[in-house]
Amino acid sequence: MHRIVKPKNKRSKRFLDAKESQIIENTKTAMFIRGSQTSDVVNNALKEIYIMKKPNAVMFTKKNNIRPFEDFTSLEFFSNKNDTSLFVFGSHNKKRPHNLVMGHLYDYHLLDMFELGIESFQSMNSFKNTKLTVGSKPCLVFAGELFNSDHSYKRLKYFLINFFRGPMVQNVRLAGLEHVLSFTAVDGKVVLKSYKTLLKKSGTKTPRVELEEIGPSMDLVMRRTHLATTDLYKRSLKVPKTAKPKKRKNISIDAFKTTHGRVHMEKQDLGNLQTRKMKALKRVREEKKQKEAAAKKQRTAAANV
Amino acid sequence: MAASTNELVQDVLESVKKQFKSITVEKDIEVDVDCGNLLVCDQNPIDIKLYRSNRNEFISSLARDNTQLLFNQIWKLPIHKVDDVVVAEIPDPQIRIPREKPVPKAKKLTKWQEYAELKGIQKRKRSRLVFDEETKEWVPRFGYKSKNDLKKDWLLEVPDNADPFEDQFAKKKGEKKERVAKNELQRLRNIARAQKSKVPGIGLIPKLQQSQDEVNQAFHLAKKSTASIGRFEEKLPKEIVEKNSRKKRKFEPTFGQLDKEKDREKKILNHILLGKPKLDIAKAVNKEMRDGEVVEDERESRRRQKGRGSKKALPKSVRRGNRGNKSSYR
């Protein structure tokens, strides 16, 4: 451990160990901050996204006078202290009503930041039905050409995947795929809707999916953006070598799942190959036989005479 | 008869079909399914008129279709059973998402770790409790209530060769402090080696009882610690003086060497005027973008200010407007 200041107890040591960069990363936490002036809409929106992100989320209770697009240093400081790499900052003023600034950080420095205005907001309470358990991994649905054609919308898509993705798991319970978040880029807005899945019988093994709207529904308008440069973004995408699975050379698996291996041989002199030893094939033995036969003949000839 | 049974069969099949709804979805452009992220990306163009006619319904049906396609893919994945729960194994994500921290660098080994690697010493986990023979109990190996806990001993024997007025308790406490300090020093030295920063030597540790070597060392150090590095000190009759132990810092005289001064100043000026500036293009571009936005905002705010509201807060020169070349305010 190359830390100059030693942690005083095991709890703080565990926190600092988790904070260090690792090969396979921890689930990203998000921080939710309110600006000096907020509206009801913004407060409810922040609360509901916080509920969706629980337990990997930190909600700040106090109001902070921060302007993310002017001076980002205080948010970087918060991110460093709380070990969060995602943030949502809500504010409201006459010029930018019902404003949400969402972004992600790399190495505690800003990567991308998007200012989204909430046009129409419907809280979870307005949908009268049973809600989902907190902490389930949602399925994400992106619709609309804008998400692939426009550069800032593309980055917004990657950011939203990063934000709402949840913990990375190897196995998924089929009955537990209950939360669906849909983002539709249409009419100059991004419409966010949250659904609960109902699996119905179809004739086959795969069920038919029906959706029931539960969670908040927001119409978001993209206002300002701060996008990272392509080389910084590429650097943040780098995967460590040990995380990549090692390629095994000369081994292939065919369609029938049989493994085939290639063996490379050196040149062999076929004349001097080691084969099975058969006594009958020995040359010396043959010569002996011939000699004996000749000797026999002579003896019989001599006897006859 | 045959016709009626045929019809019966057809009816039954149709009713069964009606019970189960289809799971197939028709799309113009193939939808991009990423099972690793549980993600669906639909690039098909959206009919705006249809959307505007009934927004919620349209989006719900679109989401349902796309979710169906995702689930069709997920149900094709290999399935295991873990503790009575049916579980599908999801593959690695296709879309790469930026990491939160950079890739960790390999840490430099400490001095002990290098030695252990060299000798092949394996790390052995020790048990927390040790059997104490005196009390016949299992006590922790270190710390509170351990065998060598300082708080325990209410009685300490004074050894034969020790000073009878020496405080044995204070002595034991002092030894422990020294051990802790030594450990802390080793730890910091390991950190300094890892960061490749130079650490000054400890020098001489003051001791009450010094050995002959230590006295010798102290003597030589004291001799060297003068402004002229021990050159003009008195010598003992049989003392051997080291010849090349002089490394004195040299300072340039503050006045008198005009040529050198001229050269130095010229060098600095050349560097300022002719030298290439170090330009971080990415930083400059980012700054330009941000400044552009701030300037835009300022311009907008000024426009708005001019349009509405009372102008009493503004200075008189602005209120009067640009009369010829009087006002310098834009």
Side-chain angles (χ1 to χ4, degrees):
Chain A
M1 286 295 110
H2 295 296
R3 267 185 224 119
I4 296 175
V5 177
K6 271 209 275 196
K8 282 192 180 169
N9 49 16
K10 283 269 168 81
R11 183 166 65 91
S12 48
K13 184 168 180 272
R14 265 182 268 135
F15 177 78
L16 287 175
D17 281 343
K19 206 173 153 201
E20 282 176 1
S21 45
Q22 279 143 22
I23 295 172
I24 300 175
E25 295 197 309
N26 309 327
T27 317
K28 293 184 190 153
T29 25
M31 52 182 177
F32 293 83
I33 310 174
R34 283 185 289 165
S36 45
Q37 199 184 27
T38 54
S39 61
D40 252 354
V41 168
V42 166
N43 284 336
N44 289 332
L46 277 177
K47 224 192 282 180
E48 305 208 342
I49 303 177
Y50 168 65
I51 291 172
M52 275 201 273
K53 264 303 263 184
K54 262 193 186 181
N56 304 307
V58 181
M59 176 76 126
F60 285 36
T61 44
K62 270 191 172 177
K63 292 195 173 182
N64 294 285
N65 190 4
I66 302 174
R67 286 165 216 257
F69 279 88
E70 282 173 34
D71 181 18
F72 199 74
T73 44
S74 54
L75 281 169
E76 284 180 357
F77 174 75
F78 288 148
S79 149
N80 199 343
K81 285 292 167 181
N82 290 290
D83 189 23
T84 59
S85 62
L86 306 165
F87 73 93
V88 182
F89 175 81
S91 65
H92 171 78
N93 46 26
K94 240 187 188 174
K95 190 171 175 195
R96 290 174 230 279
H98 314 304
N99 208 23
L100 281 181
V101 181
M102 307 171 100
H104 50 180
L105 299 111
Y106 173 68
D107 196 18
Y108 306 119
H109 292 298
L110 179 62
L111 196 57
D112 287 339
M113 179 160 62
F114 304 92
E115 186 172 51
L116 306 162
I118 306 174
E119 298 248 298
S120 73
F121 176 75
Q122 281 167 342
S123 144
M124 277 200 271
N125 304 326
S126 56
F127 298 98
K128 313 273 181 214
N129 42 20
T130 50
K131 310 294 173 190
L132 302 168
T133 47
V134 155
S136 58
K137 192 170 156 96
C139 303
L140 305 166
V141 178
F142 284 85
E145 308 166 288
L146 268 178
F147 277 129
N148 279 58
S149 52
D150 191 73
H151 178 65
S152 39
Y153 274 87
K154 219 188 210 178
R155 284 282 183 91
L156 178 66
K157 178 174 101 173
Y158 292 142
F159 163 71
L160 289 168
I161 298 171
N162 195 10
F163 193 92
F164 287 107
R165 177 160 77 153
M168 295 307 289
V169 285
Q170 300 235 311
N171 302 311
V172 149
R173 206 177 113 236
L174 290 177
L177 291 168
E178 15 173 56
H179 192 196
V180 174
L181 276 169
S182 99
F183 303 90
T184 323
V186 66
D187 216 2
K189 293 181 252 177
V190 175
V191 179
L192 186 160
K193 285 203 191 278
S194 170
Y195 300 97
K196 175 170 80 167
T197 59
L198 303 159
L199 304 175
K200 300 273 165 74
K201 279 194 207 175
S202 72
T204 59
K205 237 203 299 182
T206 320
R208 180 173 164 92
V209 176
E210 294 292 338
L211 297 178
E212 193 188 333
E213 194 166 352
I214 43 156
S217 153
M218 301 186 228
D219 281 2
L220 302 164
V221 175
M222 191 135 88
R223 285 179 186 155
R224 289 185 289 180
T225 57
H226 173 100
L227 302 175
T229 51
T230 31
D231 59 291
L232 177 62
Y233 203 79
K234 269 192 190 169
R235 236 191 302 151
S236 68
L237 288 172
K238 269 194 189 169
V239 178
K241 272 191 186 171
T242 41
K244 278 190 249 169
K246 261 194 173 174
K247 265 192 184 179
R248 292 191 342 191
K249 282 187 171 178
N250 295 320
I251 295 175
S252 60
I253 302 177
D254 70 354
F256 299 101
K257 308 252 170 124
T258 35
T259 20
H260 292 272
R262 251 173 184 251
V263 180
H264 297 271
M265 289 294 297
E266 54 191 31
K267 206 166 187 187
Q268 292 170 318
D269 180 15
L270 294 168
N272 288 334
L273 275 180
Q274 173 82 289
T275 50
R276 278 188 78 179
K277 291 183 185 140
M278 306 236 167
K279 255 192 178 173
L281 296 173
K282 261 194 172 176
R283 263 187 223 144
V284 182
R285 196 188 172 85
E286 246 190 56
E287 278 177 4
K288 257 191 180 173
K289 261 193 176 172
Q290 279 179 1
K291 273 188 184 169
E292 263 185 55
K296 234 186 177 180
K297 262 190 184 172
Q298 274 189 349
R299 261 184 261 142
T300 49
N304 283 343
V305 162
Chain B
M1 270 291 280
S4 63
T5 50
N6 230 349
E7 273 176 27
L8 257 176
V9 169
Q10 286 281 335
D11 285 336
V12 169
L13 278 174
E14 269 184 37
S15 65
V16 165
K17 257 194 189 172
K18 275 187 192 161
Q19 262 187 356
F20 301 139
K21 295 188 186 158
S22 73
I23 58 164
T24 50
V25 176
E26 280 278 328
K27 288 274 182 184
D28 288 335
I29 307 172
E30 273 293 317
V31 145
D32 200 7
V33 174
D34 180 6
C35 290
N37 279 323
L38 298 181
L39 170 72
V40 188
C41 291
D42 182 9
Q43 291 185 43
N44 291 299
I46 295 174
D47 190 353
I48 291 184
K49 282 189 192 166
L50 196 61
Y51 162 71
R52 283 188 189 158
S53 59
N54 195 341
R55 289 165 205 252
N56 286 337
E57 292 282 323
F58 180 82
I59 291 189
S60 291
S61 63
L62 184 64
R64 191 224 80 79
D65 287 341
N66 289 325
T67 323
Q68 184 69 67
L69 288 164
L70 171 68
F71 276 34
N72 289 350
Q73 283 283 349
I74 290 176
W75 255 256
K76 286 183 191 164
L77 297 168
I79 297 175
H80 312 289
K81 238 197 173 184
V82 180
D83 296 339
D84 303 334
V85 175
V86 181
V87 141
E89 191 183 318
I90 50 175
D92 290 330
Q94 282 168 6
I95 289 187
R96 285 206 292 177
I97 298 295
R99 282 172 62 98
E100 117 182 286
K101 290 158 197 155
V103 175
K105 289 176 224 170
K107 279 197 185 148
K108 192 165 176 185
L109 295 173
T110 60
K111 212 161 174 196
W112 165 253
Q113 280 172 340
E114 284 175 4
Y115 180 75
E117 248 189 58
L118 193 68
K119 288 279 183 171
I121 302 170
Q122 301 283 359
K123 209 177 181 185
R124 244 181 268 162
K125 183 132 188 167
R126 296 193 202 167
S127 62
R128 197 174 142 244
L129 299 172
V130 178
F131 192 68
D132 185 13
E133 289 297 335
E134 292 167 45
T135 52
K136 306 281 184 190
E137 266 180 6
W138 288 92
V139 294
R141 196 185 284 270
F142 57 87
Y144 183 62
K145 283 200 180 170
S146 67
K147 201 169 81 172
N148 42 16
D149 191 2
L150 287 180
K151 292 185 185 165
K152 262 195 189 175
D153 35 44
W154 50 275
L155 177 89
L156 273 179
E157 285 178 12
V158 177
D160 291 333
N161 50 359
D163 180 18
F165 295 105
E166 193 182 22
D167 188 356
Q168 294 295 328
F169 295 99
K171 187 179 170 196
K172 218 179 174 195
K173 235 186 173 182
E175 280 173 4
K176 176 153 191 188
K177 269 194 177 174
E178 275 188 30
R179 273 182 271 136
V180 170
K182 182 187 170 222
N183 191 1
E184 185 67 20
L185 176 75
Q186 310 276 47
R187 188 180 76 91
L188 291 174
R189 267 214 245 145
N190 274 325
I191 293 171
R193 275 169 78 251
Q195 292 175 354
K196 293 185 190 163
S197 54
K198 281 192 179 177
V199 179
I202 316 165
L204 275 180
I205 307 167
K207 270 187 185 176
L208 273 173
Q209 319 241 310
Q210 287 178 319
S211 67
Q212 201 174 38
D213 294 323
E214 281 167 352
V215 172
N216 207 7
Q217 207 181 1
F219 166 72
H220 279 109
L221 265 180
K223 206 169 180 204
K224 258 206 282 182
S225 319
T226 55
S228 45
I229 324 242
R231 196 172 165 198
F232 302 112
E233 292 292 306
E234 287 174 7
K235 269 191 286 179
L236 288 176
K238 284 186 185 173
E239 194 195 331
I240 311 161
V241 177
E242 287 177 50
K243 277 197 181 174
N244 297 323
S245 63
R246 257 163 271 159
K247 261 192 187 175
K248 202 176 164 185
R249 273 177 73 192
K250 271 203 162 182
F251 296 102
E252 282 175 21
T254 47
F255 57 88
Q257 295 184 322
L258 291 171
D259 310 334
K260 272 194 179 174
E261 219 179 301
K262 218 195 212 175
D263 287 332
R264 219 191 309 138
E265 304 293 334
K266 263 193 180 173
K267 223 180 172 182
I268 293 171
L269 266 177
N270 277 333
H271 191 72
I272 294 171
L273 296 173
L274 305 173
K276 282 189 201 161
K278 286 184 187 172
L279 186 65
D280 185 359
I281 298 173
K283 211 175 181 182
V285 168
N286 272 340
K287 199 172 181 225
E288 185 68 47
M289 292 203 301
R290 214 177 303 145
D291 285 344
E293 286 171 358
V294 173
V295 168
E296 272 278 342
D297 281 342
E298 278 182 15
R299 254 187 240 148
E300 265 194 57
S301 70
R302 228 177 277 154
R303 242 181 273 144
R304 282 201 193 164
Q305 237 182 9
K306 275 193 177 172
R308 47 181 154 110
S310 72
K311 294 186 184 176
K312 283 190 182 166
L314 300 172
K316 275 191 183 173
S317 55
V318 180
R319 272 195 271 158
R320 272 191 226 122
N322 284 343
R323 284 185 193 172
N325 40 13
K326 256 192 196 175
S327 58
S328 56
Y329 194 90
R330 231 182 298 157

